Amino acid sequence: MTELGLCWAPSGGFKVVGAGPGSAMLAKVVFSLFLWLHFAVGQDTPEPAPLPSTSNTEGDLLLLLDSSASVSRYEFSKVKEFMWDLLHPFTFGPRDVQTSIIHISTTPSMEFPFDQHLSGDSLRKAIGGTRQRMGDTNTGKALSLAKEKLFSSEAGARPDVPKVLLWVTDGFSTDDISEPMQLLKDMGVTVFIVSTGRGNFLQLSAAASPPSDTHLHFVDVDDLPIITQQLRDAIRDVIRANRLH
């Protein structure tokens, strides 16, 4: 029986070696199989599926930051790191997320309006440049200012978009928070609370929006990264759900 083989011809292409009569069809089959294997090996490995996008999320997010003397400078710096880690996957802009910071101190103050930092790089620099105010922990006064700014076009807030308040605290306040916090929630604001101190569980759970297991977190300041993803997802889901509603 005649043995068949393939070799590269000097003129280009393959030729059948040892071919006898009736071997042309077999040579075609072997050559076709070779081309198929060559093509299959050369294919690129499929890329992994992209992570879920946080774009198309339109809402105003206000960060209520404890900037009083009850917070150490180390704790304040760790909270700033946490805020940026929480925010940076979002898309910022007039049709996406806009954010601002209000300082809790003797006299509350707004760090920047909602419509000032509409890119991730600009917001990162703004958060990094935020300075602690010191003073008393007048959270009630800061909440009253938040109620005003969250619905103020002069502060860059937008009408008819979901409103979210994230309060980062060491768990204590020198004035009453119950009334201004309830007014905010009555106006449709969703309240998340992160306590880096012991605090009062009953007071804070009453202040946070329900359910408390997704809207209230107690965590040491060095362990804030543990809750970052969960909190970000919860904020994103609230904004999207309220937007659809």
Side-chain angles (χ1 to χ4, degrees):
M1 183 176 65
T2 304
E3 294 184 358
L4 299 178
L6 288 176
C7 71
W8 187 258
S11 58
F14 286 93
K15 70 176 182 178
V16 180
V17 179
S23 63
M25 182 61 68
L26 178 59
K28 289 181 180 178
V29 172
V30 173
F31 182 56
S32 298
L33 179 61
F34 173 83
L35 289 178
W36 181 86
L37 289 173
H38 180 73
F39 175 79
V41 170
Q43 296 304 296
D44 294 331
T45 303
E47 295 181 359
L51 294 174
S53 172
T54 52
S55 62
N56 300 318
T57 305
E58 187 177 11
D60 290 339
L61 172 60
L62 180 59
L63 305 171
L64 196 64
L65 177 61
D66 192 342
S67 193
S68 68
S70 68
V71 177
S72 72
R73 294 194 180 278
Y74 173 77
E75 291 171 329
F76 190 79
S77 67
K78 297 299 289 185
V79 169
K80 289 201 301 180
E81 290 177 12
F82 164 70
M83 289 194 303
W84 173 241
D85 288 344
L86 178 74
L87 293 174
H88 77 81
F90 285 100
T91 302
F92 303 98
R95 297 299 300 273
D96 289 287
V97 169
Q98 294 185 174
T99 190
S100 180
I101 295 174
I102 283 182
H103 292 273
I104 300 171
S105 185
T106 302
T107 302
S109 59
M110 194 174 202
E111 179 73 18
F112 48 79
F114 287 97
D115 57 355
Q116 181 169 337
H117 299 290
L118 300 182
S119 72
D121 187 58
S122 176
L123 182 60
R124 177 182 59 81
K125 292 176 181 177
I127 291 175
T130 299
R131 296 291 178 261
Q132 190 171 359
R133 299 297 195 266
M134 307 304 285
D136 296 329
T137 316
N138 288 332
T139 307
K141 289 183 179 180
L143 288 169
S144 296
L145 180 63
K147 181 173 69 69
E148 173 190 336
K149 298 300 185 182
L150 268 169
F151 298 91
S152 168
S153 59
E154 293 182 359
R158 297 163 291 181
D160 304 322
V161 302
K163 309 289 184 178
V164 175
L165 173 74
L166 172 60
W167 174 24
V168 184
T169 175
D170 62 359
F172 299 96
S173 177
T174 52
D175 61 352
D176 179 64
I177 68 168
S178 56
E179 183 177 351
M181 186 67 86
Q182 189 59 52
L183 286 173
L184 277 168
K185 291 190 287 186
D186 289 344
M187 295 173 74
V189 178
T190 301
V191 178
F192 291 87
I193 300 175
V194 174
S195 176
T196 59
R198 286 176 289 181
N200 184 314
F201 176 78
L202 293 178
Q203 182 188 50
L204 294 179
S205 60
S209 294
S212 59
D213 60 335
T214 56
H215 292 74
L216 174 61
H217 299 271
F218 287 87
V219 60
D220 186 82
V221 72
D222 289 314
D223 295 327
L224 283 168
I226 295 174
I227 67 167
T228 301
Q229 182 67 52
Q230 179 185 356
L231 182 58
R232 183 191 304 125
D233 290 345
I235 292 172
R236 180 201 61 210
D237 291 345
V238 163
I239 291 176
R240 288 180 174 173
N242 289 351
R243 189 64 180 155
L244 287 173
H245 177 71

